[in-house]
């Protein structure tokens, strides 16, 4: 291509070295996949080296990867964790999303504003700044912050629960505190720990030690899979009636069969670890504490679908999960569990680890493909579906982390045995991310079919003896459930019956002291921030929706409350009907449910 | 049916639209089928000479078996599809798209067709309140993904901003931009392959931009003006037209369009000269011409000034 | 295969079609001394030395023969002279060609094999082939390759000289050639001449071919030619060896210039006839590079006293004693096509309805001919066989030496056109004026920095110009355009060594030297200069 580079934009030697280093181990890939797919890793390298992506760095990346500078800018400016303008090297992202804002996040924000200046606008010469962040996936230990420290000795880590002092100290010392664990799985210490399936290794197995994983039954499932053969694995997965745990609940076996049967080669398999649904943290815990299980499950999935290459795409805000997976992949590769002859069985499979950079939308599967390919995080129109035209235009299987981990037991125990767990069409175990006003927030596992009340009781009920006001089920894209609905069985069928959704397994409880108006406004702001902007209904609809709620919150409706109600209905309908992807389809579901069921925004301002 | 372009026999697909059966060649879109039946289907981001991006969603139709509406411009027909183009859901979505765009962008230069459709769908962009004032110059170019300032209560946010005038050939008035992606496609793989612009940022802050929003003369732009040719709302406009409009001298009623051949190289591009008061005010090329598909180069698009001088020969002197 | 053509900049909309092909999997090879913007889209760029095209073509031919990739069925049926060709290219081994052209042998081999094995392949060329003293040999050397492989006369294959002007094809088709009447008919054929004479009612169509441009200038030098009527050309600035050209033009007894501009040539004229712009101030047709005849239409009234070309010619005829009345463009066209089988079926009505037609179009029902030479695939071959025309390579006339060590080649830029009389009328943000484009290595060798002013000298003259470092040139090669003759008269440098058959001068190969004239001058573009320097 006769591309034109940015005139006069030269990287510093530190920038070009960081970029070149990031591209070196991946250079061989560019033969098969083209250089463009290395854009996101290269942008990460530039950002983490000096704290922003300078024109010189972008120019260097573009020349290395043969990408037009305007397009690279378009991609870089899409992600919240990248800065295209000079910014201090130390940044703390403060989660002010639902769970954290009910746990003191707003106080952290206002204190940081006093100390560091307005959000993202530090005084001249300042070495640090702060930014608000959408859910960091640490809801069980709210409030959470994420440090993003650039420089040769920099790093990224999150801290939760966090205080103002810790936030400031982190910015100053620029080294992560030693923290025993970052997860909360109360059942792992309790009497029910023997019944855990998905969580059984959490806290018991060293996530950085392949041998420890194997000592606890690791890689037995892959051996079994190799005995079963690809068709045998497919049969077990179909029989298990496993459906996707990412939110869409699509039958996994059908998806795998479609990929396996696709005539076009090669096939790819992708693990969607871009867990970003506010209130969700289950995949993070699995990645941080049981990374080898994901690698093993990916190997089985790829074996069954005829894929020789897999990708794990981890959200940018999960530095620990990313680091653990990276170490695990390296170990697995060294020990022959990945590569050209897995388990000495002649099986060829290798994994690429990719890291997002702050974009909820990238959890949508086609967006995730675009993100890996070095394109903007915009969804593709379906059909064609990923099983036919997916990553790099090839047949692709894609599953969420939790879904994949289920595969291990399915292969070991057989599909029918798995299908016997749970209830009706909702088979197997399910993880629930319980947070908010409960006594013991954390990640819980139960078979499908227990009630919401049961989950809340597992978590010790509403804390401080307060009354339950509502539960947000399924995350920001889910719905609010009222106290008189909590006997709903947590199955796909059960939640559907009350017009709710399990979504990604979010159970966020709100006691009666919480101003739900504020929560609903935050949800509206979330979608306004996270819409990719590609299609009109979602790009403008999320803005109009937030404006409308702000008018209601201010007690200044346009016309009457009735006309506003009609308008909100119209906005949500066009988003649901005409948006390209799930973000737009669900951007008003929690908000509509709150207004309808919880009588919000109906009268004078609360507070 | 024999495809006139390839001479190959084409399989025909039968489907039902609004209760009427229609048969179209395999590979056609629902929009093609609608047009065969002369069903008035609005489009904004669709153009014959570009790959459909299906982002505006104004052409959506109801497809039996599909939970959501589907974009007719890009959805390929399949046997036995049952499509509805006149349902309440379809009408509402189309109306809302028009209202969203009408309330957030300046559609005053959009062609009459857009305004006719807006009327027929009873779009009332004012339902969202008074529009916000234009942003300061460059403000929207620096929006950071994932962060925003809520609007002043009671106001509908807009993309209004000052016109970007940074060269003598064309201007960019992004207050009028509906983000249809056409200019990006024309600058990119669909025609010019120069890739001088891209969509940058995200959500409502997404915008068409050069790298770091650098002015066009510092960018990769080669001024083919193919972006202007595909822009549906006048956001991209030849400076000649912009200046006349600014002076209140743009008078379409007085304009004639004459098609001729570009005076430069031997490719033979058809030029449509838009002439007002014996002066060329704009040059375009027809979308359906096999040589250009509507695209031109800098010389064809802008290189006609040399015939403009109305004085005696000496004043049309060689430079 | 794009040979000696920077179509990305000189034929941008044609190149759109190339790009579509590339996106659909077509493979592009670009042969050009410069790594042009076109070459940057190629799978392989063959950066040969200026003027070694024939050696390269012969080596490709030899490699095709040596590797058994000749399309023998086609060669035996439809061509003549293969054995002689085979003998003549025998010495052009890959190694020898690599030495002559500086293109690696492996690349030549790859191109030869890819071309010969392609299902469909085209060779397009431009002035990189034809602006040489042995231009016609260069063209035939290329044609030989198509004959070897049968990549001619079929849809999607062929040989395409990309025309540089909107009607250079049409002008020739209409008889604006020294040896042709309209429709490619030979003026020296008495039968043909008689037909036209009958139509025109005159008695004296000269029975012999006239002079082409270079011959005319030669004749001016010898005072054999003393009167010149120039229509829409600016030879004072467009001809090679400008000093000599001006001398000839000034020596004319009568110079008449019919133009839309007061060009440098017009300023020398005894009579200037102001004309309307043919493409927008009058009616008519033009013929594009693909032989597509299309209508041009009047969109504007010409300014002042400027008149339509036909009107001027009719008035001139009246003054000379022949009253043709008022002739419209359509009438002139219909008259022409009454005796040109190429154009017979191209009524204005059909041209308008179909968006143009490709000649030959012999009758009103003919769909036109998007490609030529299909007859070579008829069984038996229609008409004469296509002859191989072997050609030997011969280096450019203007030899490099210690005194003139740098090879200067010339060409166009995207936003400009020829001597700039038309493109000077609009403000292009891309325009930076004339420069001597140079590789940074040459800059270092000759002690000049990017932006510094130098004197460029050839065996014929010298000009002053600023240096611009570019990454498209190798050491030893420099580039200038002819776009800004009033600023830098590049043709003072070029040589008028012309091809005896085509009459085209060797604009593409001049031997020059450069000398810095302003020590320590500031770069013109500080920002870009500093960025490019390392």
């Amino acid at each position: 291509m006769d591309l034109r580079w940015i005139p006069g934009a030269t990287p510093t030697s530190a920038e070009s070295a960081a970029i070149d280093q990031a591209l070196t181990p991946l250079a061989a890939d560019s033969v098969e996949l083209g250089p463009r797919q290395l854009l996101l890793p290269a942008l990460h390298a530039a950002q983490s080296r000096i704290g922003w992506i300078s024109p010189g760095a972008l120019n260097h990346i573009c020349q290395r990867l043969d990408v037009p500078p305007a397009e690279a800018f378009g991609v870089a400016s899409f992600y919240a964790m990248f800065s295209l303008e000079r910014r201090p090297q130390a940044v703390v992202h403060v989660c002010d999303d639902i769970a954290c804002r009910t746990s003191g996040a707003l106080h952290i924000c206002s204190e940081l504003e006093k100390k560091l200046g307005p959000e993202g606008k530090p005084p001249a010469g300042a070495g640090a700044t702060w930014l608000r962040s959408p859910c960091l996936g640490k809801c069980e230990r709210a409030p959470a912050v994420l440090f993003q420290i650039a420089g040769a000795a920099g790093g990224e880590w999150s801290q939760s629960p966090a205080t103002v002092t810790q936030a400031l100290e982190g910015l100053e010392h620029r080294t992560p505190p030693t923290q025993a664990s970052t997860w909360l799985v109360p059942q792992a210490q309790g009497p029910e720990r023997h019944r855990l399936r998905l969580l059984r290794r959490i806290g018991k197995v060293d996530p950085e030690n392949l041998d420890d994983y194997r000592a606890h039954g690791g890689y037995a499932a892959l051996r079994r899979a190799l005995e079963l053969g690809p068709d045998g694995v497919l049969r077990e997965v179909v029989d298990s009636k496993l459906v996707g745990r990412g939110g869409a609940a699509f039958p996994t076996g059908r998806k795998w069969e479609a990929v396996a049967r696709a005539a076009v080669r090669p096939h790819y398999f992708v693990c969607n670890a871009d867990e970003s649904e506010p209130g969700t943290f289950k995949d993070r815990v699995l990645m941080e504490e049981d990374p080898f299980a994901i690698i093993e499950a990916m190997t089985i999935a790829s074996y069954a679908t005829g894929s020789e290459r897999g990708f794990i795409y981890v959200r940018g805000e999960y530095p620990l999960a990313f680091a653990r997976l990276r170490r695990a992949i390296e170990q697995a590769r060294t020990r022959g569990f990945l590569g050209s002859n897995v388990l000495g069985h002649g099986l060829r499979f290798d994994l690429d680890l990719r890291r997002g950079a702050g974009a909820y939308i990238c959890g949508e599967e086609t967006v995730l493909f675009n993100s890996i390919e070095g394109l903007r995080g915009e969804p593709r129109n379906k059909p064609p579906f990923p099983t036919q035209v997916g990553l790099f235009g090839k047949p692709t299987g894609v599953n969420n982390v939790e879904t994949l981990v289920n595969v291990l037991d399915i292969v070991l125990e057989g599909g029918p045995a798995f299908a016997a767990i749970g209830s009706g069409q909702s088979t197997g175990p399910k993880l629930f991310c319980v947070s908010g006003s409960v006594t013991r927030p954390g990640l819980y596992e139960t078979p499908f079919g227990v009630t919401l009340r049961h989950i809340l009781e597992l978590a010790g009920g509403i804390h401080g003896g307060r009354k339950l006001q509502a539960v947000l089920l399924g995350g920001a894209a889910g719905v609010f459930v009222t106290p008189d609905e909590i006997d709903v069985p947590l199955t796909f069928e059960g939640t559907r019956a009350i017009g709710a959704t399990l979504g990604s397994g979010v159970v966020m409880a709100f006691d009666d002291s919480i101003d739900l108006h504020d929560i609903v406004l935050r949800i509206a702001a979330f979608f306004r921030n996270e819409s990719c902007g590609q299609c009109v209904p979602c790009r403008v609809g999320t803005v109009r929706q937030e404006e409308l709620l702000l008018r209601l919150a201010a007690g200044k409706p346009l016309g009457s409350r009735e006309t506003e109600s009609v308008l909100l209905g119209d906005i949500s309908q066009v988003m649901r009907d005409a948006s390209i992807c799930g973000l737009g389809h669900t951007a008003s579901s929690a908000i509509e449910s709150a207004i309808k069921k919880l009588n919000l925004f109906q009268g004078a301002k609360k507070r | 049916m024999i495809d006139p372009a390839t001479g190959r026999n084409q399989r025909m697909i039968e489907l039902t639209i609004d209760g009427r059966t229609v048969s179209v060649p395999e590979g056609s879109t629902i929009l093609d089928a609608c047009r065969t039946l002369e069903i008035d289907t609005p489009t904004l981001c669709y153009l014959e000479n570009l790959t459909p991006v299906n982002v505006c969603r104004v052409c959506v139709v109801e497809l039996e078996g599909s939970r959501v509406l589907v974009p007719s411009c890009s959805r390929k027909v399949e046997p036995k599809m049952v499509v509805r183009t006149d349902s309440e859901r379809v009408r509402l979505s189309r109306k809302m798209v028009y209202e969203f765009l009408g309330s957030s962008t300046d559609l005053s230069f959009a062609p009459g067709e857009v305004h006719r459709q807006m009327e027929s769908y009873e779009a009332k962009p004012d339902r969202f309140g008074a529009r916000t004032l234009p942003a300061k110059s460059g403000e929207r170019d620096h929006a950071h993904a994932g962060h925003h300032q809520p609007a002043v209560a009671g106001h509908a946010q807009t993309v209004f901003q000052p016109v970007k005038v940074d060269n003598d050939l064309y201007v960019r008035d992004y207050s009028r931009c509906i983000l249809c992606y056409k200019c990006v496609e024309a600058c990119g793989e669909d025609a010019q392959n120069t890739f001088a612009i891209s969509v940058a940022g995200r959500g409502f802050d997404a915008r068409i931009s050069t790298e770091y929003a650098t002015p066009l003369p510092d960018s990769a732009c080669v001024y083919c003006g193919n972006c202007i040719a595909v822009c549906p709302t006048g956001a991209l406009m030849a400076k000649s037209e912009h200046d006349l409009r600014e002076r209140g001298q743009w008078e379409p009623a007085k304009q004639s369009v004459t098609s001729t051949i570009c005076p430069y190289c031997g490719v033979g591009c058809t030029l449509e000269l838009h002439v007002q008061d014996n002066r060329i005010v704009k040059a375009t090329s027809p979308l359906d011409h096999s040589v250009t598909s509507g695209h031109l180069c800098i010389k064809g698009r802008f290189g006609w000034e040399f015939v403009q001088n109305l004085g005696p020969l000496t004043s049309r002197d060689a430079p | 295969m794009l040979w000696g053509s920077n179509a990305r900049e000189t034929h941008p909309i044609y190149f759109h079609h190339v790009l579509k092909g590339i996106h659909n999997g077509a493979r592009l090879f670009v042969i050009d001394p410069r790594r042009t913007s076109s070459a940057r889209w190629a799978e392989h760029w063959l950066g040969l030395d200026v003027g070694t095209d024939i050696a390269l073509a012969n080596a490709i031919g030899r490699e095709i023969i040596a590797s058994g990739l000749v399309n023998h069925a086609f060669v035996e049926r439809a061509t003549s002279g293969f054995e002689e060709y085979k003998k003549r290219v025998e010495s052009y081994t890959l190694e020898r060609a690599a030495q002559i052209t500086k293109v690696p042998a492996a690349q030549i081999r790859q191109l030869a094999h890819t071309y010969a094995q392609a299902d469909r392949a085209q060779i397009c060329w431009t002035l990189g082939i034809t602006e040489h003293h042995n231009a016609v040999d260069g063209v035939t050397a290329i044609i030989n390759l198509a004959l070897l492989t049968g990549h001619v006369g079929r849809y999607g294959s062929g040989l395409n000289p990309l025309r540089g002007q909107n009607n250079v094809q049409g002008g020739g088709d209409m008889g604006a050639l020294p040896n042709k009447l309209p429709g490619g008919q030979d003026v020296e054929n008495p039968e043909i001449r008689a037909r036209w004479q009958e139509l025109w009612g005159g008695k004296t169509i000269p029975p012999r071919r006239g002079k082409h441009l270079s011959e005319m200038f030669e004749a001016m030098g010898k005072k054999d030619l003393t009167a010149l009527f120039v229509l829409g050309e600016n030879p004072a600035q467009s001809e090679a060896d400008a000093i000599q050209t001006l001398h000839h033009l000034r020596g004319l007894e009568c110079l008449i210039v019919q133009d839309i501009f007061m060009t440098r040539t017009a300023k020398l004229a005894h009579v200037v006839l102001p004309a309307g712009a043919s493409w927008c101030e009058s009616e008519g047709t033009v013929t594009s590079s693909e032989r597509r005849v299309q209508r041009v239409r009047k969109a504007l009234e010409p300014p002042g006293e400027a008149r339509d070309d036909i009107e001027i010619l009719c008035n001139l005829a009246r003054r000379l004693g022949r009253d043709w009345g008022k002739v419209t463009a359509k009438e002139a066209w219909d008259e022409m096509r009454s005796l040109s089988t190429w154009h017979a079926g191209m009524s204005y009505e059909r041209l308008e309805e179909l968006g143009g037609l490709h000649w030959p179009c012999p009758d009103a029902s003919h769909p036109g001919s998007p490609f030529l030479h299909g007859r070579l695939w008829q069984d038996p071959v229609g008409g004469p066989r296509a002859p191989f025309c072997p050609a030997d390579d011969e280096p450019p006339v203007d030899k490099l030496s210690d005194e003139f060590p740098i090879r200067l080649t010339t060409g166009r830029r995207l936003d400009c056109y020829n001597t700039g009389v038309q493109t000077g009328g609009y403000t292009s943000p891309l325009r930076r004026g004339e420069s001597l484009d140079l590789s940074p290595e040459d800059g270092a060798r000759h002690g000049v920095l990017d932006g510094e002013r130098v004197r460029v000298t050839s065996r014929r003259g010298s000009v002053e110009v600023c240096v611009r470092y570019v990454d498209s040139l190798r050491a030893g090669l420099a580039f200038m355009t002819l776009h800004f003759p009033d600023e830098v008269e590049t043709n003072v440098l070029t040589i008028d060594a012309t091809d005896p058959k085509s009459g085209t001068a060797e604009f593409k190969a001049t031997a020059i030297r450069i000398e810095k004239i302003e020590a320590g001058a500031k770069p013109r573009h500080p920002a870009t200069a500093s960025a490019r320097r390392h």
Side-chain angles (χ1 to χ4, degrees), chain B residues 81 87 93 117 133 171 198 253 261 276 302 304:
Chain B
M81 269 182 168
S87 68
S93 277
Q117 293 282 10
L133 293 173
V171 304
S198 167
I261 301 299
Q276 177 181 321
F302 299 111
W304 36 260

Side-chain angles (χ1 to χ4, degrees), chain A residues 75-420:
Chain A
V75 171
S77 60
F78 185 86
Y79 295 99
M81 290 177 74
F82 292 149
S83 176
L84 278 311
E85 283 164 33
R86 195 181 292 278
R87 173 171 104 173
Q89 288 210 332
V91 179
V92 63
H93 300 264
V94 183
C95 177
D96 72 337
D97 217 326
I98 315 174
C100 289
R101 73 195 291 119
T102 62
S103 308
L106 299 183
H107 171 70
I108 300 181
C109 291
S110 61
E111 288 303 307
L112 289 182
E113 179 149 17
K114 281 182 212 155
K115 299 270 176 13
L116 301 175
E119 177 190 11
K121 295 191 173 61
T129 188
W130 70 284
L131 289 166
R132 288 188 174 82
S133 167
C135 180
L136 289 171
K138 299 279 227 154
C139 317
E140 82 278 37
R141 296 168 68 94
V145 299
L146 172 73
F147 295 97
Q148 195 182 4
I149 312 292
E156 289 174 25
W157 68 92
S158 58
Q159 189 168 9
S160 60
T163 62
V164 177
T165 316
Q166 286 168 329
L168 290 169
E169 278 174 6
L171 290 175
E172 198 184 329
H173 301 314
R174 303 188 173 188
T175 43
T178 42
Q179 210 170 351
S181 68
T182 62
W183 47 275
L184 275 177
V185 180
Q187 290 167 309
Q189 281 88 40
E192 61 272 66
R193 65 178 180 275
H194 303 295
R195 288 202 296 272
L196 293 179
R197 306 174 72 91
L198 299 166
L199 299 176
R200 65 170 170 260
R201 280 180 291 266
I202 307 295
K204 286 169 80 177
V205 174
D206 178 356
E208 303 198 348
N209 188 331
L210 174 61
D211 291 327
D212 203 27
Y213 175 68
R214 291 172 71 200
H216 285 82
Y219 279 103
L222 178 59
R223 282 181 204 288
R224 176 70 186 135
L226 294 173
E227 286 164 25
L228 289 168
D231 288 346
V233 175
L234 288 177
R235 194 179 66 152
E236 299 304 337
V237 176
V238 169
D239 289 352
S240 74
K241 298 185 186 165
L242 174 68
V243 301
R245 308 298 200 225
F250 189 84
T252 305
R254 259 173 58 199
K255 189 187 281 184
W256 288 21
E257 279 184 334
V259 179
R261 274 197 236 109
V264 174
R265 297 273 157 177
H267 297 173
Y268 295 111
F269 209 96
V270 175
C271 171
N272 184 345
D274 190 56
E275 175 175 75
S276 307
E277 184 65 48
T280 316
F281 48 86
K282 61 193 176 68
D283 293 345
R284 190 200 84 237
V285 173
L286 290 172
M287 288 187 280
E288 288 177 353
E289 299 303 320
D290 201 6
F292 292 103
I294 297 158
I295 296 170
E296 184 182 358
M298 278 292 284
T299 312
I300 294 170
S302 301
Y303 175 61
T305 54
S307 317
E308 293 190 346
R309 186 159 189 161
F311 291 81
I312 303 179
Y313 184 97
V314 184
R315 74 177 293 206
E317 294 88 339
Y318 282 178
L320 182 63
F322 184 80
R324 291 256 165 95
L325 275 168
R326 188 168 56 191
R327 290 195 63 155
I329 289 172
E330 280 164 12
Q331 280 188 47
R333 202 176 280 139
T334 310
R335 301 287 294 279
F337 289 89
L338 288 174
S340 54
N341 188 11
V342 175
L343 283 181
H345 199 273
L347 174 64
R348 175 186 288 277
F349 179 64
D350 213 334
L351 266 174
D352 278 43
L353 186 61
R354 294 303 168 90
R355 189 172 171 219
Y360 168 71
I361 187 73
C362 287
E364 201 278 343
E365 56 193 15
T366 62
V367 179
L368 193 152
F369 301 155
N370 282 347
S371 183
I372 291 178
E373 291 180 27
L375 305 170
R376 284 171 54 80
E378 293 169 355
R380 304 175 185 171
N381 218 58
K382 291 187 271 193
F385 291 96
T387 52
Q388 305 306 313
V389 182
L391 185 62
F392 301 107
K394 305 296 181 196
T396 302
V398 50
N399 279 129
N400 147 277
V401 172
E402 182 189 350
T403 315
L404 282 166
V405 173
N406 274 297
V407 168
L408 301 176
D409 278 0
I410 291 170
V411 169
L412 281 170
E413 299 172 10
F418 184 90

Side-chain angles (χ1 to χ4, degrees), chain B residues 35-48:
Chain B
R35 288 187 172 170
T36 307
L37 289 174
E38 294 184 342
I39 295 169
D40 184 16
T41 309
T43 60
L44 285 168
C45 69
Y46 173 82
L47 201 63
E48 287 78 355

Side-chain angles (χ1 to χ4, degrees), chain A residues 329-530:
Chain A
I329 289 172
E330 280 164 12
Q331 280 188 47
R333 202 176 280 139
T334 310
R335 301 287 294 279
F337 289 89
L338 288 174
S340 54
N341 188 11
V342 175
L343 283 181
H345 199 273
L347 174 64
R348 175 186 288 277
F349 179 64
D350 213 334
L351 266 174
D352 278 43
L353 186 61
R354 294 303 168 90
R355 189 172 171 219
Y360 168 71
I361 187 73
C362 287
E364 201 278 343
E365 56 193 15
T366 62
V367 179
L368 193 152
F369 301 155
N370 282 347
S371 183
I372 291 178
E373 291 180 27
L375 305 170
R376 284 171 54 80
E378 293 169 355
R380 304 175 185 171
N381 218 58
K382 291 187 271 193
F385 291 96
T387 52
Q388 305 306 313
V389 182
L391 185 62
F392 301 107
K394 305 296 181 196
T396 302
V398 50
N399 279 129
N400 147 277
V401 172
E402 182 189 350
T403 315
L404 282 166
V405 173
N406 274 297
V407 168
L408 301 176
D409 278 0
I410 291 170
V411 169
L412 281 170
E413 299 172 10
F418 184 90
I421 306 165
S423 152
Q425 290 304 300
S426 305
T427 63
K430 177 74 193 100
L431 297 178
F432 292 99
C433 310
V434 186
S435 64
S437 316
V438 292
T439 310
R440 282 190 304 277
L443 184 58
Y444 291 85
E445 176 186 325
T446 69
F448 266 114
V450 301
T451 62
L452 176 55
R453 182 188 299 277
H454 177 80
I455 295 287
L456 292 174
E457 280 165 4
L458 268 181
I462 303 306
H463 64 184
R466 299 203 70 105
K467 245 179 77 198
L468 177 68
Q469 186 181 184
V471 176
L472 179 58
L473 204 56
V479 295
F480 283 96
V481 167
T482 59
D484 50 12
E485 290 174 317
I486 62 169
D487 287 313
V488 59
L490 293 181
T491 58
F492 297 112
E493 308 91 303
T495 48
R496 202 176 301 131
I498 63 159
T501 168
L502 276 186
S504 52
V506 171
V507 174
M508 202 182 282
F510 301 96
D511 68 33
D512 55 356
S513 71
I514 292 166
D515 177 10
L516 286 180
H517 293 89
D518 175 60
I519 302 299
V520 169
L521 285 173
R522 181 65 185 93
I523 292 173
F526 173 80
F527 285 111
R528 154 65 171 93
N529 278 339
E530 299 299 334

